[in-house]
Amino acid sequence: MDIFEQVSVAKRANLYFDGKVSSRNIFFADGSKQTLGVVLPGEYEFATSQGEIMQVMSGSFEVLLPHAQDWQVFAAGSQFELAAGVSFKLRNAAVAEYCCSYL
C-alpha cells in the first residue's frame, strides 16, 4: 500500500540519534499504529518494546539481527521481522525510508 487513507498523523516527529533518524506515528481507525521513518547514513542500534515488521520503502539497510553473526542486506520492497524485547543494529550508506508495523 503506497497511500494510507482515513488515518491520523502525529504532528510531532520522533527524533533519534541527534535527528539522523526520524519517524512519524500513523494511527488507524481500528486503533493500530504504524510509523513511517527516514534514516540518514550511519550505523545505529535499536531496541524493540513489541514485535515489529520493518518494510524498507526506499534505499537499503544492512541489518544485524538479534543473535546473528552476519549483516544482511534488505533493499527497497523487502522486510524483516523482530520480536519484542530484542536489540538489532542497522546501517546504511544513503538515505533510506521504512514503514514499521507493530505486532
Side-chain angles (χ1 to χ4, degrees), residues 16-95:
Y16 309 96
F17 304 102
D18 296 321
K20 294 178 183 172
V21 178
S22 67
S23 67
R24 298 228 184 244
N25 293 325
I26 310 295
F27 301 95
F28 294 84
D30 66 2
S32 63
K33 175 181 89 167
Q34 294 185 13
T35 56
L36 296 175
V38 176
V39 182
L40 298 181
E43 185 171 324
Y44 311 96
E45 185 167 359
F46 297 94
T48 62
S49 58
Q50 60 190 101
E52 302 178 1
I53 297 174
M54 295 283 291
Q55 291 179 289
V56 182
M57 305 307 295
S58 71
S60 67
F61 294 115
E62 290 181 77
V63 181
L64 185 59
L65 294 167
H67 313 295
Q69 299 293 321
D70 298 315
W71 292 81
Q72 294 180 302
V73 175
F74 293 91
S78 64
Q79 66 183 35
F80 56 96
E81 190 169 326
L82 299 154
V86 299
S87 293
F88 68 101
K89 292 184 180 179
L90 180 145
R91 64 187 180 198
N92 55 317
V95 175

